[in-house]
């Protein structure tokens, strides 16, 4: 990989906008095939060395709030939205600060990171596949949008993505418990990440039982199932017909990552680098790939016939300063591989791909319901990955016609997400509640404080219900030229809400949680109310609910089988521009209930095949035909002149 572009080389075969997971995979695969790839990254490149990584770990340790973006320095030139940008109001509603402008009835509560590596730096690392049912929700269940391809079309690319990310899982367990089809004899690259103590406790009490989410509803069999992870465990010697598995970037001077040792900070940073990040893919980029960081693409350039010629970008040196310079770069193919919101922003600002009026629309996430309780014995919290297992029985089935499905993650970090534990527990027991309007209990100190903390912290556990959101045209990204960032580029304006279908799914998740806590003999401490820490509060059917963002933005340049109803085709190529691709979760017409990164990676690898074919067609040698022989009569020809 070249660190800076050659000074005189302005033309490339491919320009990739964004060096996150999708962009890094595209650059690797096209670069390996000999194509000259320029990667333009809006953020800084500070973590691709061990020293930079250690600095980020130290920054995280020193941060007061351990939010996903905590290890990564703020960047005024390429700002990232953060979870602290939203504030709930005392009587309901919310107030938004920061980079994203929010104008919807409910807040879009997810963050993302603009830096080399993107949100793939601070993701959890969970990599379940989508369920086959998730690809045809409109046809089968009557809501949302269908995909123009099915599970079988994506399955070989799922396997390729699992190889690239180094996924650890048990294929037989996924086949039996989730209903995922695999080729005969398939094994994941790495053996499943071991279950946590909490997983074993819950499995002992739940496996083999059944649960009804409401009286008269079908009984759902319960089984604790280990979750696939893009994280180093033990390489499976059976993988690749017995050749075993070697992680990308595992050897050489740029080697990345030890095996998972349970640091319990997967979000936002793994100190041992056991979790996959796009930097691992970048470590094996070849010499045909050039990365330019601190380069914010402001516009895609296009000719009158709709073909893209390149991009305009703003280059800055000091993230805190306003000084920047404007540059252009040219290529045969341009690939937008930024976040779903950023891809939509760039298409809108460039006035491209708009014939279907779907650019920026269908913004989705996984609205997440958190519930929390105390078990009657120690759960072993605050160790290992944030979640190692879940309950998969609510991901699909006839109930989807009535309410959104959900996947249940068993959370290993106590009440960290719902209540800010353990710091929140200490503050409360010291008489300093987060909600200053709440009654203040008498403070505890010394042995009484230690005893109370031990009794609470050692028994904590929580559940995370990731609820599918359907694609709705009204949920969208737009631009307002009155609001621009430091480089003069319009900031994204988000309009966001939840359909009744989703709200019924969240309400059903709360009912399931109550039943699970009852089966477990757990003491339910879940409580929802408006307030500063609950911007996602709403009331539905007379009950209070609060949802959180999952960081799974999708749907803003949706894929389809018709240029009149979608932005990109099944290869993620823009219908309106034959050499412009918009890749990533923004292409997904539905998100199912699985974390979307693996599906995004699979779609990206599938698109690489078509981009390569497009480039081959452009560079195919032209066969020259001989000029027709002049057949004028010989008598009419004159030496040195015309007939």
């Amino acid at each position: 990989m070249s660190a800076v572009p050659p000074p005189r080389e302005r033309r490339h075969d491919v320009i990739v906008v964004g060096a996150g997971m999708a962009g890094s995979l595209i650059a690797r695969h096209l670069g390996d095939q000999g194509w000259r790839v320029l990667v333009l990254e809006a953020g800084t490149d500070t973590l691709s060395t061990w020293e930079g990584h250690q600095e980020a770990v130290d920054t995280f340790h020193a941060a007061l709030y351990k939010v996903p973006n905590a290890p990564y320095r703020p960047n005024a030139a390429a700002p990232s939205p953060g979870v602290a940008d939203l504030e709930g109001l005392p009587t309901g509603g919310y107030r938004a600060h920061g980079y994203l402008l929010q104008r919807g009835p409910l807040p879009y509560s997810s963050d993302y990171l603009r830096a080399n590596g993107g949100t793939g730096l601070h993701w959890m690392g969970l990599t379940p596949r989508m369920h086959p049912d998730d690809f045809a929700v409109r046809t089968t269940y009557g809501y949302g949008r269908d995909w123009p391809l099915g599970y079988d079309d994506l399955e070989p690319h799922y396997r390729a993505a699992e190889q690239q990310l180094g996924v650890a899982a048990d294929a037989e367990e996924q086949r039996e418990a989730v209903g995922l089809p695999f080729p005969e004899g398939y094994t994941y690259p790495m053996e499943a990440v071991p279950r946590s103590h909490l997983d074993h406790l819950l499995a002992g009490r739940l496996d083999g039982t059944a649960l009804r989410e409401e009286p008269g509803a079908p009984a759902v069999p319960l089984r604790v199932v280990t979750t696939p992870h893009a994280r180093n465990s033990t390489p499976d010697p059976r993988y690749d017909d017995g050749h075993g598995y070697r992680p990308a970037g595992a050897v050489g001077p740029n080697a990345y990552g030890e095996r998972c040792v349970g640091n319990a900070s997967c979000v936002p940073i793994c100190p041992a680098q056991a979790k996959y990040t796009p930097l691992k893919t970048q470590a094996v980029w070849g010499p045909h790939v050039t990365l330019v960081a601190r380069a914010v693409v402001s516009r895609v350039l296009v000719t009158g016939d709709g073909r893209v010629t390149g991009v305009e970008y703003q280059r800055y040196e000091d993230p805190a300063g306003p000084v920047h310079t404007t540059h252009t770069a040219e290529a045969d193919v341009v690939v937008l591989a930024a976040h779903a919101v950023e891809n939509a922003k760039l298409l809108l600002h460039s006035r491209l791909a708009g014939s279907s009026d779907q650019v920026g629309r269908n913004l989705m996430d996984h609205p997440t319901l958190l519930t929390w309780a105390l078990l009657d014995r120690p759960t072993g919290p605050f160790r290992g990955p944030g979640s190692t297992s879940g309950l998969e029985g609510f991901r699909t089935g006839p109930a989807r016609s009535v309410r959104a499905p959900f996947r249940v993650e068993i959370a290993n970090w106590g009440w960290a997400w719902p209540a800010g534990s353990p710091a929140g527990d200490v503050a409360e027991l010291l008489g300093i509640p987060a909600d200053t309007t709440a009654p203040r209990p008498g403070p505890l100190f010394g042995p009484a404080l230690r005893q109370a903390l031990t009794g609470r912290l050692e028994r904590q556990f929580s559940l995370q219900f990731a609820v599918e959101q359907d694609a709705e045209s009204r949920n969208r990204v737009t631009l307002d030229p009155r609001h621009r960032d430091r480089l003069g580029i319009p900031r994204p304006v988000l309009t966001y809400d939840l359909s009744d279908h989703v709200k019924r799914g969240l309400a059903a998740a709360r009912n399931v949680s109550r039943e699970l806590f009852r089966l477990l003999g757990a003491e339910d401490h879940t409580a929802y109310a408006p307030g500063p820490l609950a911007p996602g509060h709403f009331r539905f059917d007379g009950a209070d609910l609060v949802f959180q963002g999952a960081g799974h933005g999708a749907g803003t340049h949706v894929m389809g089988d018709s240029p009149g109803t979608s932005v990109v085709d099944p290869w993620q190529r823009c219908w309106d521009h034959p050499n412009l691709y918009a890749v990533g979760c923004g292409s997904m017409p539905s998100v199912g209930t699985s974390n979307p990164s693996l599906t995004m990676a699979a779609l990206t690898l599938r698109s690489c095949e078509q981009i390569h074919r497009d480039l081959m067609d452009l560079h195919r040698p032209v066969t020259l035909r001989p000029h027709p022989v002049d057949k004028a009569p010989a008598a009419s020809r004159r030496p040195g002149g015309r007939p």
Side-chain angles (χ1 to χ4, degrees):
M1 177 187 73
S2 303
V4 294
R8 295 185 180 180
E9 183 179 11
R10 294 184 48 141
R11 180 117 193 137
H12 300 264
D13 297 313
V14 184
I15 294 172
V16 179
V17 180
M21 187 181 296
S24 296
L25 290 170
I26 286 172
R28 177 186 179 180
H29 283 266
L30 295 180
D32 286 351
Q33 295 177 88
W35 301 113
R36 296 168 301 159
V37 182
L38 173 66
V39 183
L40 298 174
E41 167 54 51
T44 58
D45 178 24
T46 60
L47 278 86
S48 54
T49 65
W50 178 250
E51 292 76 15
H53 172 74
Q54 283 299 114
E55 181 182 348
V57 172
D58 293 341
T59 302
F60 166 65
H61 288 159
L64 179 61
Y65 298 106
K66 310 297 188 185
V67 294
N69 285 343
Y72 313 105
R73 293 180 177 179
N75 184 344
S80 300
V83 295
D85 294 345
L86 292 170
E87 173 191 0
L89 302 178
T91 58
Y94 69 96
R95 182 181 294 114
H97 315 281
Y99 170 60
L100 297 178
L101 301 166
Q102 304 245 13
R103 296 178 180 171
L106 289 172
Y108 178 79
S109 302
S110 284
D111 62 1
Y112 54 90
L113 181 62
R114 298 172 76 192
N116 183 27
T119 309
L121 295 177
H122 76 215
W123 70 313
M124 174 64 76
L126 305 186
T127 52
R129 296 185 179 193
M130 289 180 68
H131 194 279
D133 288 359
D134 297 336
F135 294 85
V137 293
R138 166 60 62 181
T139 298
T140 309
Y141 300 107
Y143 69 90
R145 297 174 68 118
D146 287 348
W147 287 60
L149 49 85
Y151 179 92
D152 290 343
D153 298 305
L154 205 55
E155 199 283 328
H157 305 286
Y158 269 136
R159 281 180 274 140
E162 286 156 356
Q163 190 276 335
Q164 293 289 305
L165 275 58
V167 174
D170 183 334
E172 192 59 33
E173 183 183 28
Q174 291 292 305
R175 181 185 290 110
E176 292 179 1
V178 185
L180 298 179
F182 293 92
E184 189 65 31
Y186 179 68
T187 60
Y188 281 93
M190 297 200 188
E191 296 177 1
V193 172
R195 291 185 176 191
S196 67
H197 178 61
L198 175 63
D199 295 338
H200 286 292
L201 286 177
L202 269 56
R205 299 187 182 187
L206 296 178
D207 283 4
T209 63
L211 182 151
R212 300 180 190 274
E213 62 184 69
E214 59 183 20
V220 176
L222 298 178
R223 176 179 173 180
V224 173
V225 182
T226 53
T227 305
H229 283 240
R231 141 176 20 261
N232 293 342
S233 66
T234 302
D236 194 325
R238 301 170 298 167
Y239 184 73
D240 191 19
D241 294 326
H243 291 94
Y245 173 73
R246 174 170 291 183
V251 296
N254 297 319
Y256 272 101
E258 304 172 7
R259 296 186 187 181
C260 177
V261 292
N263 277 293
S265 62
C266 316
V267 178
I269 191 166
C270 173
Q273 297 183 320
K275 179 183 69 177
Y276 170 85
T277 75
L279 301 180
K280 295 189 178 186
T281 294
Q282 294 181 20
V284 292
W285 276 352
H288 298 291
V289 179
T290 299
L291 171 67
V292 179
R294 306 181 190 227
V296 182
V297 176
S298 50
R299 200 178 302 273
V300 178
L301 306 176
V302 65
T303 61
D305 64 357
R307 291 194 68 85
V308 167
T309 60
V311 300
E312 172 192 89
Y313 64 95
Q314 312 300 320
R315 188 83 191 275
Y316 63 92
E317 291 299 330
D318 181 3
V323 178
H324 61 278
T325 54
T326 302
H327 304 264
T328 60
E330 299 176 350
D332 293 326
V333 174
V334 172
V335 182
L336 308 185
H339 185 272
V341 171
E342 295 298 315
N343 273 0
K345 181 189 81 172
L346 186 51
L347 287 171
L348 289 167
H349 191 223
S350 304
R351 300 180 182 274
L352 297 180
S355 64
S356 65
D357 189 32
Q358 293 300 304
V359 173
R361 296 186 183 273
N362 307 297
L363 176 65
M364 293 177 282
D365 192 12
H366 280 126
T368 301
L369 187 84
L370 307 178
T371 65
W372 55 103
L374 294 176
L375 208 58
D376 58 0
R377 63 188 60 191
T379 60
F382 308 106
R383 296 185 62 193
S387 177
T388 39
S389 297
L391 299 169
E392 309 287 346
F394 302 93
R395 289 183 59 177
T396 193
R400 293 182 82 162
S401 298
V402 179
R403 52 91 177 142
F406 44 86
R407 182 176 173 272
V408 188
E409 290 184 11
I410 299 169
N412 291 325
W413 295 346
W415 297 356
W417 192 1
S421 295
D425 302 282
V426 175
E428 181 181 341
L429 293 172
L430 288 174
I432 314 171
D435 183 354
T436 56
T437 64
R440 294 173 178 265
L444 298 177
F445 301 98
L449 174 62
R450 289 194 295 271
Q451 182 177 0
L453 276 174
T454 300
R456 176 185 293 191
L457 292 176
E458 70 177 2
R459 298 188 294 126
Q460 287 184 358
F461 76 103
S462 60
L463 301 175
Q464 300 165 187
F465 294 80
V467 180
E468 180 188 41
Q469 182 169 21
D470 49 320
E472 290 189 278
S473 181
R474 61 177 179 150
N475 289 335
R476 63 186 304 194
V477 180
T478 56
L479 301 180
D480 186 336
R482 297 173 298 175
H483 300 278
R484 296 176 181 266
D485 64 19
R486 180 167 291 190
L487 304 183
I489 304 170
R491 291 158 53 195
V493 180
L494 271 57
T495 304
Y496 188 77
D497 201 358
L498 302 179
S499 68
D500 283 352
H501 190 257
V502 175
K503 291 178 178 178
R504 283 192 293 270
L506 288 160
R510 180 64 181 115
N511 291 337
V512 168
S513 172
R514 291 190 183 96
E515 284 299 298
L516 288 171
F517 290 160
R518 181 185 64 80
L519 290 169
L520 292 166
E523 183 182 315
D524 192 348
H525 283 251
T526 307
Y528 305 123
L533 301 181
H537 170 269
F538 65 94
R539 289 185 62 82
F540 185 71
D541 281 349
D544 288 290
L545 291 169
V546 173
F547 75 95
Q548 310 288 336
H552 299 167
T556 55
H557 42 85
V558 71
M559 176 193 298
D561 55 13
S562 165
T565 58
S566 56
V567 179
V568 299
D569 68 12
W571 299 102
Q572 301 187 90
R573 178 175 48 193
C574 291
W575 290 107
D576 296 354
H577 311 284
N579 61 334
L580 176 63
Y581 286 74
V583 306
C585 294
S587 298
M588 296 171 65
S590 70
V591 291
T593 57
S594 59
N595 310 58
S597 295
L598 180 74
T599 300
M600 176 182 70
L603 284 171
T604 297
L605 296 176
R606 184 175 185 271
S607 292
C608 284
E609 298 174 356
Q610 185 60 45
I611 297 171
H612 176 66
R613 288 192 288 266
D614 288 351
L615 289 167
M616 290 294 291
D617 287 342
L618 286 170
H619 291 266
R620 196 179 306 280
V622 177
T623 302
L624 298 178
R625 296 180 180 178
H627 192 278
V629 176
D630 189 349
K631 297 182 180 181
S636 68
R637 296 178 187 157
R638 296 177 182 174
R642 292 175 296 178

